[in-house]
Amino acid sequence: MSAELLRLRKWPVLWVLLGVGLALDVLFGYLFDYLSYRTGSRPVSEDAPLLAGLLPAGVPVTTVEGMPMFGGAILLILGAVAAGSGYGWGTWKTVLTTAPSRLRAFTGLLGALGAVVAGLVAAMFAANFACAFLVATAESASFELPPLADLARAAGGALLMHSMWASCGVLLGIVARGPALAVGLGMVWTLAVENLLRGTGNVLAPVGALADVLPGTAAGSLAGALGATPFAANGTPGVLSTLDGAAAALLLAGWTVAFTLLAGLLLTRRDIT
């Protein structure tokens, strides 16, 4: 894990992805909504709830509402390039022919990615609180903080969503033996296939039942259960109300375990070259 953290920390791709993730979080969570609020491009009846979501008390909801869409894509890319690049660069072969076992090397990668995910979630909450306090100062509005229970639930949900997508990226990187194809497959799945299946599920019950247990459905439903407005109700893209919070959390945990076990099985049993 120490070696993997060193590799990731020295890797410009990591910092680019984390920077993009934070930038998208601030842009879509605060900047665009605040500009809309200030310019009056929304109906007057929506001004109060819009401002409430930009204040410190609304940070938990604002943070999780963007994660099913761009947050998942960023973490999927990170997992795919972290695991898949080892094939193209030959680092998997080098590491596994020296000292550690395949399982030990794989768990080290997972531990390093887990630390990165936790750091990104913490950075997103810190950035959003900073933006919320700036908005509250500019509008002379309330500085009331959210309840600790709401903040803890949002942080736990964020970690669960990001961990699931990161583990999915790791699996794709190992399956494809490289980052490029893995990233492409992941983007096609998250941005196209799942949405098509959910749309088809409206007319075909078996497809609908399948769509209800997909990773994106679980992530979107958890965000909806944590307070984000579903896209169907003029809310944020990617946010759903298909599952309740407990079912969505259990499904996300199940997908994370399944992705991780399958990736570990492939790495430990399959030829590296």
Side-chain angles (χ1 to χ4, degrees):
M1 178 176 173
S2 177
E4 286 292 341
L5 282 173
L6 176 63
R7 178 175 74 93
L8 293 176
R9 191 171 68 249
K10 298 287 187 178
W11 201 16
V13 172
L14 171 68
W15 301 107
V16 170
L17 287 173
L18 296 184
V20 169
L22 287 174
L24 291 174
D25 174 57
V26 171
L27 284 175
F28 290 98
Y30 286 91
L31 182 59
F32 291 157
D33 281 353
Y34 184 66
L35 290 176
S36 177
Y37 172 79
R38 293 296 297 172
T39 58
S41 58
R42 288 173 178 254
V44 176
S45 61
E46 296 182 9
D47 282 349
L50 179 59
L51 178 60
L54 300 173
L55 298 178
V59 166
V61 174
T62 303
T63 303
V64 300
E65 66 183 359
M67 290 183 176
M69 182 60 71
F70 61 80
I74 295 296
L75 268 296
L76 189 147
I77 294 172
L78 176 61
V81 296
S85 61
Y87 291 93
W89 295 348
T91 50
W92 276 126
K93 186 188 302 184
T94 302
V95 168
L96 298 178
T97 54
T98 53
S101 65
R102 294 191 182 197
L103 182 59
R104 185 179 176 188
F106 179 66
T107 54
L109 173 64
L110 294 180
L113 284 175
V116 171
V117 168
L120 176 59
V121 170
M124 292 177 71
F125 274 96
N128 287 349
F129 269 115
C131 292
F133 280 115
L134 287 175
V135 172
T137 301
E139 299 299 324
S140 300
S142 172
F143 286 84
E144 181 183 359
L145 294 175
L148 286 178
D150 292 349
L151 188 60
R153 280 194 294 268
L159 286 171
L160 195 52
M161 285 185 277
H162 278 358
S163 297
M164 186 275 292
W165 286 120
S167 64
C168 179
V170 169
L171 173 61
L172 290 175
I174 292 175
V175 168
R177 297 177 185 259
L181 178 59
V183 170
L185 291 174
M187 293 300 96
V188 169
W189 177 265
T190 57
L191 300 179
V193 175
E194 284 207 14
N195 289 324
L196 289 173
L197 289 175
R198 280 194 287 269
T200 306
N202 294 328
V203 293
L204 292 176
V207 178
L210 173 64
D212 288 347
V213 297
L214 294 177
T217 302
S221 296
L222 183 59
L226 291 171
T229 305
F231 184 59
N234 297 321
T236 306
V239 178
L240 304 171
S241 57
T242 306
L243 306 171
D244 61 31
L250 288 173
L251 191 56
L252 281 173
W255 277 115
T256 303
V257 172
F259 290 147
T260 301
L261 291 178
L262 185 55
L265 181 64
L266 286 174
L267 183 64
T268 54
R269 298 295 182 183
R270 196 173 59 170
D271 189 1
I272 293 296
T273 57

